[in-house]
Amino acid sequence: MANIFRKLYCIHQAYVKKIIWFQNSYRAHKQTHCYSMSLQEHGQQIFHCAVSAVMPENMLRRSITLVNEGSPRLIVGGQKFSIQKNLYLVGFGKAVLGMAAEAEKIIGNHLVQGLVSVPLGICASLQEAGRRKMLLKSDSRIKVMEGAKHNLPDEAALFAAEEIERLTLGLTANDLLLVLISGGGSALLPAPVPPVTLEEKQTLTKMLASKGATIHELNTVRKSLSRLKGGGLARAAYPAQVVSLILSDVIGDSLDIIASGPTVPSSHSASDCLQILGKYNLEHAVPKAVKSALQRPSSLPDSREFKHVHNVIIGSNSLALAQARCRAQELGYLPLILSAAVSGEVREVSHFYSLLIQLVCSYLVEPGTNLQAERDLLKLTAELQIPDLDLPGCLETMKSFRPGRAVCLLAGGESTVHLQGDGKGGRNQELALRVALELHRVQMTKADCNLGRWDIMFLSGGTDGQDGPTDAAGAFCSPELVKQAEQEGLDVEAFLARNDSYTFFSKFQSGHFLLITGLTSTNVMDIQIILIRSRDLC
């Protein structure tokens, strides 16, 4: 009997050794995989994976189903809608062209007529990129109208909005209106309330943006000056049934903020707009017609007016981050999602990421050795008021990171830039450049800085593929960027003083650090990626 137990013990030990060998081999494979490409290549892969998760065709297929057995029904968000060639479609935003193409494939001959307002040049861009499946077919029943150059409302977008308004006003109780909404929809659906002109509304938007107003504040003001926003489109479509498929590009996924809420009752009044203007000292600078429109007596709409509306969010920044996390793990990184709601002025946000990188690098050496950075980060996070960030919990997780393990930190949201110069750039490129400057200053002033022991990459990119009025989605940076730029005769601080980040990145190493994706035809705000790995294993 003793011999039997001895044999069983030996077999067990051999089995355990094999398991350990396989585990170590797998870890070694992942570590080798992690170091087989540059951080920039990995960053691009993770970013593209995040964007892929919220591509229009993928989201539409997950969200709507046509059932033809018996009485045809369209199933959206768990609700069923009877259809019999009584379906109309309108859309506006950076992602709706691909959404419309996929929707038409699903609903087929039940579609009577459609009209979408999309960014100027997107059809040509998708054609050149070989993304023909995101384009409508030549015999499509959906009309495409382009406008809003550089994401600003213009005459072409106004004409499209008026056409959409005409279509919805002609619907009856027997009709079903499918509304496709995505980021950028606000600029593509301008219909100012009289006597406000489009030019006056544009002027106000530019004034607020230059002061650093948030997207929530911009949309609060814009919808109060619009016939179709703030629930106006849904009211125009009554008594038809309205079903909205929404791709969120705002923090918190607030339905009345996304594209300024054309199919939901507004939670803001004209007095809220006047408070925003006062916050930025613009109450005396706005056009007279705007001030007159905002001073009219108004009341919040009755939610009972919207019983004919069914709104469904089909994609968001959180969904993109979840997919990015999976890809980072496949590449051998230990991934951690921080938040999908990072917002604030770009100077503060860049300081947040700089402190975070410093802290992670110190934790990877010895947790608890950089208490000052930890205190500073906790204080700044409280000031930024990032709603879904559990920083204490994240810090505890970071303390468990094994020394030498490659780490990936992920976040999303949308920062704001207080314009002071006349340069060319976008919030993502400016954020990357400011993070580089912050890390450079830390290396120059702190003797005990741990940054030099690690390869570090920071990426910030817009999921729509367009960062400000540029052809870049964003940019990469490293702690060495500022020093390398100085060797090329480029003064980072001078470029930042002019808000000229795009010009800097275009000149620096011939644009190698720009993130160029082309228009993606989707939009769920911005993605930030931090990659950190030990230099000893490179």
Side-chain angles (χ1 to χ4, degrees):
M1 183 67 71
N3 287 335
I4 293 173
F5 279 116
R6 191 176 294 110
K7 285 181 180 179
L8 288 173
Y9 176 77
C10 291
I11 292 170
H12 172 72
Q13 288 298 96
Y15 180 68
V16 169
K17 286 180 180 179
K18 281 188 177 182
I19 290 175
I20 293 172
W21 182 85
F22 278 120
Q23 287 177 335
N24 290 336
S25 297
Y26 177 67
R27 289 195 189 103
H29 168 73
K30 289 193 76 175
Q31 192 78 323
T32 302
H33 188 35
C34 182
Y35 284 86
S36 64
M37 288 187 284
S38 70
L39 292 184
Q40 191 165 330
E41 289 173 313
H42 281 169
Q44 284 179 312
Q45 284 199 19
I46 295 168
F47 181 80
H48 287 307
C49 195
V51 172
S52 177
V54 288
M55 291 304 284
E57 63 271 22
N58 297 333
M59 294 182 299
L60 261 291
R61 283 195 292 268
R62 288 194 299 261
S63 305
I64 65 174
T65 306
L66 177 65
V67 179
N68 275 314
E69 292 82 7
S71 176
R73 302 177 306 282
L74 193 66
I75 303 175
V76 184
Q79 289 200 26
K80 298 176 183 178
F81 302 91
S82 296
I83 56 172
Q84 190 63 53
K85 297 184 178 179
N86 61 339
L87 184 56
Y88 293 80
L89 181 150
V90 297
F92 29 90
K94 296 178 180 179
V96 302
L97 186 59
M99 292 168 73
E102 191 62 33
E104 190 167 26
K105 291 176 188 174
I106 296 170
I107 59 185
N109 290 330
H110 292 287
L111 178 65
V112 179
Q113 181 185 356
L115 174 62
V116 293
S117 177
V118 298
L120 183 68
I122 194 168
C123 292
S125 177
L126 292 173
Q127 188 81 31
E128 290 171 11
R131 299 177 183 173
R132 291 179 178 81
K133 65 180 180 180
M134 300 182 73
L135 297 169
L136 294 165
K137 294 180 179 178
S138 57
D139 60 348
S140 172
R141 297 179 183 180
I142 301 172
K143 182 180 180 181
V144 179
M145 302 182 73
E146 295 189 0
K149 185 177 182 181
H150 298 318
N151 201 32
L152 294 172
D154 54 21
E155 291 295 334
L158 174 60
F159 183 63
E162 290 171 343
E163 288 289 293
I164 287 173
E165 186 177 28
R166 262 191 290 274
L167 188 154
T168 55
L169 285 169
L171 300 179
T172 71
N174 296 321
D175 297 323
L176 174 64
L177 178 65
L178 187 62
V179 184
L180 308 177
I181 304 173
S182 78
S186 189
L188 287 157
L189 195 71
V193 294
V196 179
T197 66
L198 179 61
E199 185 179 6
E200 288 170 329
K201 198 171 176 183
Q202 286 175 318
T203 299
L204 178 58
T205 300
K206 289 177 182 177
M207 290 167 68
L208 283 167
S210 69
K211 294 284 187 177
T214 67
I215 187 64
H216 284 67
E217 291 170 330
L218 284 169
N219 283 357
T220 296
V221 174
R222 286 190 288 206
K223 69 183 176 182
S224 296
L225 297 171
S226 173
R227 302 194 304 274
L228 296 178
K229 295 163 188 170
L233 181 69
R235 284 191 290 268
Y238 183 83
Q241 173 71 54
V242 177
V243 177
S244 297
L245 302 179
I246 304 167
L247 179 60
S248 173
D249 72 325
V250 302
I251 287 170
D253 300 335
S254 302
L255 290 174
D256 65 330
I257 294 296
I258 303 167
S260 303
T263 60
V264 293
S266 176
S267 59
H268 302 95
S269 64
S271 62
D272 294 321
C273 300
L274 293 172
Q275 286 182 3
I276 292 169
L277 295 178
K279 174 182 175 180
Y280 295 105
N281 298 314
L282 292 174
E283 61 267 52
H284 301 301
V286 298
K288 289 182 180 179
V290 170
K291 188 180 294 186
S292 174
L294 293 177
Q295 288 176 339
R296 291 173 184 166
S298 64
S299 60
L300 294 178
D302 189 336
S303 60
R304 288 175 296 182
E305 293 181 52
F306 293 83
K307 286 186 176 180
H308 64 299
V309 181
H310 180 55
N311 293 303
V312 182
I313 291 181
I314 63 172
S316 66
N317 191 271
S318 296
L319 179 63
L321 288 176
Q323 198 62 35
R325 181 186 185 278
C326 293
R327 185 58 185 144
Q329 197 161 26
E330 290 170 357
L331 290 170
Y333 291 90
L334 185 62
L336 178 64
I337 296 176
L338 302 169
S339 168
V342 177
S343 64
E345 212 283 325
V346 70
R347 292 172 185 267
E348 293 181 327
V349 176
S350 64
H351 189 46
F352 167 80
Y353 282 122
S354 170
L355 288 171
L356 185 67
I357 290 169
Q358 294 172 58
L359 205 54
V360 174
C361 289
S362 66
Y363 280 1
L364 288 171
V365 176
E366 185 179 351
T369 57
N370 198 342
L371 294 177
Q372 186 58 51
E374 190 169 328
R375 284 192 291 267
D376 290 345
L377 187 60
L378 287 166
K379 180 182 177 183
L380 180 57
T381 303
E383 292 172 359
L384 288 171
Q385 297 182 334
I386 302 170
D388 66 345
L389 175 59
D390 174 20
L391 187 59
C394 289
L395 293 179
E396 282 301 311
T397 302
M398 292 177 199
K399 288 176 183 177
S400 67
F401 288 172
R402 192 172 69 252
R405 180 69 188 270
V407 172
C408 173
L409 304 179
L410 297 162
E414 193 167 281
S415 59
T416 55
V417 178
H418 188 174
L419 294 176
Q420 295 176 311
D422 58 356
K424 188 175 184 180
R427 59 180 179 265
N428 289 288
Q429 294 163 80
E430 178 142 341
L431 178 57
L433 197 52
R434 287 193 179 278
V435 168
L437 182 59
E438 289 254 0
L439 296 177
H440 171 73
R441 286 172 174 168
V442 170
Q443 287 185 310
M444 294 297 101
T445 57
K446 293 187 178 181
D448 60 345
C449 174
N450 283 306
L451 298 180
R453 300 179 60 172
W454 310 95
D455 265 345
I456 301 167
M457 184 224 69
F458 175 84
L459 176 157
S460 187
T463 54
D464 60 355
Q466 184 177 32
D467 186 33
T470 76
D471 61 354
F476 304 84
C477 80
S478 71
E480 296 77 34
L481 181 144
V482 175
K483 192 172 182 179
Q484 293 168 349
E486 289 173 350
Q487 293 170 358
E488 293 187 22
L490 300 174
D491 183 346
V492 168
E493 293 189 61
F495 281 97
L496 284 171
R498 300 191 299 271
N499 298 116
D500 205 15
S501 55
Y502 177 77
T503 304
F504 169 82
F505 279 112
S506 297
K507 291 183 176 181
F508 178 59
Q509 294 192 12
S510 302
H512 180 64
F513 282 75
L514 282 172
L515 175 65
I516 305 288
T517 64
L519 294 177
T520 63
S521 195
T522 191
N523 184 21
V524 293
M525 300 188 290
D526 304 330
I527 298 286
Q528 280 90 48
I529 302 169
I530 298 170
L531 299 181
I532 302 173
R533 67 184 183 189
S534 173
R535 285 184 170 167
D536 296 337
L537 298 175
C538 291

